[in-house]
Amino acid sequence: MYIILGIIVVAALYVVMIYNGLVKSRQMAEEAWSGIDVQLKRRADLIPNLIETVKGYAAHEKSTFEEVVALRNRAQAVPTGDVEGRAVAEGMLSQALGKLFALAEAYPDLKANQNFLELQNSLETLESEIQMSRRYYNGAARDLNVKVESFPSNLVAGQFGFAKKPFFEITNEADRAVPSVKF
């Protein structure tokens, strides 16, 4: 009788430990996604200043500006939890920003403008921080996904509604290409 009760208590404690591990992993993934979201918001806030600076030098390049603004707005409109949708939208925005910087090559005065240089450096720093945030999120998502799929934690995960998190990755090969920007 005590042996059976002991086995039940040990099994219950084991389930609680697995559950708590799953909760921790889910929270880590959500925290990591929040970090990406913050960095992407900072980048989106920087883009209008960059556009206005470049506009003063290249007023006839209206279509490039409109494309960057439209893609920025599209990226901002993606719901917060839609990791895959956000990855696609941000990849397209990164390409458009590459075109914007390539456009600056044709304007020597713009390349020497202090405001433009500061904005460009800020954007480069943000891109680096976004990359680090993506890696952190993908690691946290991987850890959660392993727990959700591994035995015996998959039994607990299924019972309590834990689901895999999608990775934040660029799926379009063209988005992976580094834009050619020469100053």
Side-chain angles (χ1 to χ4, degrees):
M1 175 81 156
Y2 290 115
I3 294 174
I4 294 173
L5 184 59
I7 292 172
I8 291 172
V9 168
V10 168
L13 289 173
Y14 188 63
V15 167
V16 167
M17 287 175 39
I18 290 173
Y19 178 83
N20 288 340
L22 287 163
V23 168
K24 179 181 176 184
S25 293
R26 181 176 59 195
Q27 290 302 315
M28 294 289 287
E30 288 175 4
E31 174 203 2
W33 176 249
S34 175
I36 289 176
D37 202 39
V38 165
Q39 298 304 331
L40 294 175
K41 172 80 170 107
R42 286 179 60 203
R43 180 173 77 167
D45 290 346
L46 182 67
I47 290 172
N49 293 331
L50 184 64
I51 293 288
E52 288 303 315
T53 301
V54 177
K55 263 187 187 179
Y57 288 88
H60 64 281
E61 302 288 353
K62 188 176 180 181
S63 65
T64 302
F65 304 136
E66 289 173 351
E67 179 185 13
V68 171
V69 170
L71 290 171
R72 173 197 177 263
N73 292 340
R74 185 184 311 169
Q76 292 285 276
V78 175
T80 302
D82 184 2
V83 175
E84 293 155 340
R86 191 71 177 263
V88 170
E90 293 294 338
M92 292 169 55
L93 178 58
S94 292
Q95 272 191 322
L97 284 171
K99 289 180 195 173
L100 183 68
F101 282 118
L103 173 71
E105 183 178 339
Y107 299 92
D109 291 341
L110 173 60
K111 290 191 298 188
N113 179 287
Q114 188 62 34
N115 190 26
F116 176 76
L117 292 173
E118 287 174 12
L119 289 168
Q120 183 182 21
N121 287 336
S122 295
L123 190 60
E124 288 173 7
T125 301
L126 278 171
E127 291 297 334
S128 177
E129 290 174 12
I130 290 168
Q131 182 183 23
M132 288 187 299
S133 296
R134 284 178 183 160
R135 274 191 242 144
Y136 178 67
Y137 169 79
N138 284 339
R142 178 202 58 227
D143 292 345
L144 175 64
N145 294 347
V146 167
K147 288 180 180 180
V148 167
E149 291 183 337
S150 298
F151 182 81
S153 60
N154 64 341
L155 300 174
V156 176
Q159 287 288 25
F160 291 100
F162 287 89
K164 289 174 53 177
K165 292 276 187 193
F167 291 108
F168 190 90
E169 57 191 357
I170 298 173
T171 55
N172 182 354
E173 287 300 318
D175 292 345
R176 292 181 192 272
V178 176
S180 174
V181 180
K182 298 174 186 168
F183 290 106

